[in-house]
Amino acid sequence: MTEPRIVSSAPAAGRAIAVTFDDGPSGSTQDVLDVLEAHEARGTFFVVGQWTERLPHVVEAIAERGHEVGNHTWTHFDASAVPDEAVWRDELRRTSETIAAATGRPPALFRPPYGHEPERLAAVAAECGLAATVLWSVDPKDWESNEDDGLIEATVLADVHPGAIVLHHDGDRRDDLNSGSPQAGTLRALPRILERLADDGYRFATVSELLAA
């Protein structure tokens, strides 16, 4: 069995950072992919299984464009409110299988919804063959202030550091997965963030690349 591993940054990664996106796929994901491509940046997308089942072509596109896909559970449940580890295993395994069906390969990484119960979930993730449970070290809380692109940008630029794992969102778990751009602030802020960080000498890696650096 894989040994449980929890990470929130990679101190030995030099000037590399990982930009990550949670809760997709959604109507915003393609827009995020276009921004990343325009800035020659790769990201890591932690996708929800039930949305992946409904929008497999979007998750396929994430992988085809050189980004990493991680497991974010089937329903985005709150582990602190659902303490049944059998349910957790089913959520993780089902999601990994659905990601593998969409991309041709199972995910290596897991992120717990809300960041709750990371130690216990890391043990379950390891049982399910996931190499690392990934938290974050920079959180602009775009889910909370998703129209305030200035605040999102300022928070990332103030808190970023070499080896950082930055948390963004490309979905909001609404029923209408094809709706416009639920993370409008992130989409406006992201090009400026990537440009400023590149000017400061940062390079953008997937989480697995960051951890291997």
Side-chain angles (χ1 to χ4, degrees):
M1 184 186 78
T2 304
E3 287 295 319
R5 182 186 185 191
I6 302 173
V7 297
S8 58
S9 64
R15 296 292 284 180
I17 65 170
V19 182
T20 69
F21 302 89
D22 283 10
D23 299 356
S26 77
S28 294
T29 304
Q30 186 62 55
D31 295 327
V32 172
L33 292 175
D34 290 343
V35 172
L36 292 173
E37 182 173 351
H39 290 82
E40 299 182 345
R42 289 199 290 172
T44 299
F45 291 75
F46 290 94
V47 299
V48 176
Q50 62 181 353
W51 299 161
T52 299
E53 184 179 58
R54 292 172 63 180
L55 296 174
H57 62 286
V58 178
V59 178
E60 181 182 16
I62 293 171
E64 286 183 344
R65 294 175 75 166
H67 307 289
E68 185 168 30
V69 180
N71 185 321
H72 200 39
T73 75
W74 186 260
T75 62
H76 200 278
F77 70 96
D78 182 349
S80 63
V82 184
D84 187 341
E85 291 190 5
V87 172
W88 299 358
R89 288 186 193 91
D90 181 67
E91 288 252 350
L92 270 62
R93 287 175 175 153
R94 192 176 178 189
T95 301
S96 288
E97 290 169 359
T98 304
I99 291 170
T103 67
R105 59 186 301 178
L109 304 177
F110 165 67
R111 174 170 279 165
Y114 313 104
H116 289 178
E117 300 286 353
E119 291 83 6
R120 292 178 63 199
L121 274 166
V124 173
E127 289 179 23
C128 296
L130 292 148
T133 292
V134 181
L135 301 177
W136 53 86
S137 56
V138 179
D139 181 6
K141 293 184 168 57
D142 61 345
W143 56 270
E144 186 175 61
S145 56
N146 68 352
E147 294 296 330
D148 194 341
D149 53 299
L151 176 61
I152 294 167
E153 178 186 4
T155 301
V156 172
L157 296 178
D159 294 348
V160 75
H161 54 87
I165 297 175
V166 183
L167 173 63
H168 289 295
H169 293 79
D170 66 316
D172 66 356
R173 303 184 303 283
R174 294 189 300 191
D175 287 338
D176 181 7
L177 299 180
N178 291 301
S179 61
S181 296
Q183 299 300 335
T186 294
L187 285 170
R188 290 194 299 268
L190 187 59
R192 302 196 301 269
I193 290 170
L194 295 174
E195 183 174 353
R196 285 283 303 276
L197 292 178
D199 287 345
D200 287 343
Y202 283 100
R203 61 183 181 86
F204 307 104
T206 66
V207 171
S208 288
E209 290 170 341
L210 193 73
L211 298 180

